[in-house]
Amino acid sequence: SAAEEVFEIKRLVVARRQEILDNPDLSAEQKATVQQQIAQETERTVRGVLGEKAFKQFTRRSEAVWLRP
């Protein structure tokens, strides 16, 4: 279902963001850039899974905080 797919996306995004934050080889600027790229790609992906109307409703909820960089 769409909910399961979004949950899996969230799990992967949260893990990837933590990897980036923990990477000592990246500068703060590089980390911020990668985090922004991840946020943009994640938004596109989740929007595609949910559709525009459901995506807007989803992002109004506090659970969607993980979509932001």
Side-chain angles (χ1 to χ4, degrees):
S1 76
E4 292 171 330
E5 192 170 346
V6 171
F7 182 79
E8 181 62 13
I9 292 167
K10 177 183 178 181
R11 187 186 69 74
L12 294 171
V13 166
V14 170
R16 181 67 180 127
R17 285 185 170 164
Q18 192 60 52
E19 288 174 15
I20 291 163
L21 291 174
D22 293 343
N23 187 337
D25 296 328
L26 296 175
S27 69
E29 185 177 303
Q30 289 170 317
K31 289 178 183 183
T33 298
V34 174
Q35 295 282 19
Q36 184 63 39
Q37 291 168 343
I38 289 171
Q40 290 169 348
E41 180 60 32
T42 302
E43 182 178 324
R44 280 191 297 273
T45 302
V46 173
R47 189 182 303 266
V49 170
L50 297 178
E52 191 62 35
K53 184 177 179 180
F55 179 78
K56 285 182 181 181
Q57 291 174 341
F58 178 73
T59 56
R60 286 188 207 135
R61 307 178 93 193
S62 62
E63 300 91 43
V65 171
W66 60 272
L67 284 171
R68 297 175 191 94

